[in-house]
Amino acid sequence: MKERILIIEDDEAIQRILKRALTYEGYVVEAALDGESGLRLFRESRPDLVVLDWMLPGIDGLEVCQRLRAASKVPILMLTAKDTVQDRVQGLDAGADDYIVKPFQVEEFLARVRALLRRTEAERAPVLKFADLELDTRTRQARRGQRVISLTAREFDLLELFMRHPRQVLTREMIFDRIWGYDFSGESNVLDVYIRYLRQKLEAEGEPRLIHTLRSVGYVLRETEE
């Protein structure tokens, strides 16, 4: 299931940039140009994360943030040109989970979005399940049926990414960005090595394959080949 993100930002140019970047990353994005519309969209769509501008027409971002926090634990990333320590404290005290000052780099914005979603994903679903595979994000332990599987930290992170996006094609670029934190160069075989390690552990007793290769594209977690 793709995460839903709501952008409440009155600068249409910035809104378009953020919406394009988030959509490219695979998120489902909705947007509002003012606080009142943003609150209505929030009630209708129940997003997984809200990107909120402070300086909004009508109901300002600070009040929107307070209303959202009173009604929900949804993570809120606040955008603003206000950059003093007092401003940051005021935004965080209003209920924002993170705070980014304009102008900012899209790469940093996306990294903050991913960090907030990772934090809430673990709270929403501590035990991930797919077919006969289970992954406990609290104990960082994996099981296939009754068999306990020992994973390294990197193997765990990779398997968790697949299990949070079952039956979705994950491109090599996306996996490198989410797990290693840098753009895929097109030459490194480190991902292939870790996929091989995971398969060996998941299939150690002859179990059917779950991580499948899509040549020249990436990988997908699903029950059978198609």
Side-chain angles (χ1 to χ4, degrees), residues 149-173:
I149 303 171
S150 177
L151 299 173
T152 67
R154 190 75 75 185
E155 290 167 351
F156 178 91
D157 291 343
L158 185 56
L159 183 57
E160 182 182 9
L161 179 63
F162 279 114
M163 293 190 70
R164 291 198 184 279
H165 300 85
R167 303 183 185 88
Q168 295 181 29
V169 176
L170 302 182
T171 65
R172 296 175 66 86
E173 291 85 355

Side-chain angles (χ1 to χ4, degrees), residues 14-34:
I14 293 177
Q15 188 187 104
R16 280 195 301 272
I17 291 169
L18 298 182
K19 190 171 184 178
R20 186 184 307 120
L22 290 168
T23 302
Y24 181 78
E25 289 293 310
Y27 301 111
V28 177
V29 183
E30 293 185 291
L33 290 169
D34 59 75

Side-chain angles (χ1 to χ4, degrees), residues 8 10 12-13 20 47-48 52 60 63 86 91 95 115 124 126 146 158 170 176 187 199 203 205 207 215 226:
I8 308 177
D10 67 321
E12 294 187 46
R20 186 184 307 120
D48 298 298
L52 176 62
D60 69 18
E63 184 175 345
Q86 184 177 357
R124 290 198 305 267
Q146 298 302 311
L158 185 56
L170 302 182
F176 264 89
E187 299 174 358
R199 284 173 172 165
E203 303 165 17
E205 294 189 359
E207 296 95 338
R215 192 172 298 279
E226 294 181 1

Side-chain angles (χ1 to χ4, degrees), residues 93-147:
D93 282 348
D97 295 276
D98 200 0
Y99 190 106
I100 188 168
V101 177
K102 302 175 183 177
F104 52 83
Q105 295 295 317
V106 172
E107 291 81 1
E108 180 187 0
F109 166 76
L110 291 173
R112 289 175 182 266
V113 166
R114 290 193 296 270
L116 287 173
L117 288 173
R118 280 197 301 271
R119 190 184 311 164
T120 54
E121 279 173 349
E123 294 171 358
R124 290 198 305 267
V127 180
L128 306 175
K129 298 182 180 181
F130 183 82
D132 60 347
L133 182 61
E134 291 188 4
L135 192 69
D136 191 323
T137 60
R138 295 166 299 188
T139 64
R140 297 181 71 85
Q141 185 178 75
R143 287 180 176 272
R144 186 142 196 202
Q146 298 302 311
R147 181 168 63 88

Side-chain angles (χ1 to χ4, degrees), residues 3-6 8 38-39 42-43 45-52 64-78 94-98 116-117 119-120 123-124:
E3 293 96 340
R4 304 179 66 87
I5 296 178
L6 171 61
I8 308 177
L39 288 169
F42 176 80
R43 290 190 295 268
S45 63
R46 289 295 172 180
D48 298 298
L49 183 144
V50 175
V51 177
L52 176 62
V64 172
C65 185
Q66 292 169 335
R67 293 191 190 185
L68 291 175
R69 185 54 66 237
S72 168
K73 293 183 179 180
V74 65
I76 300 170
L77 173 58
M78 185 163 279
D97 295 276
D98 200 0
L116 287 173
L117 288 173
R119 190 184 311 164
T120 54
E123 294 171 358
R124 290 198 305 267

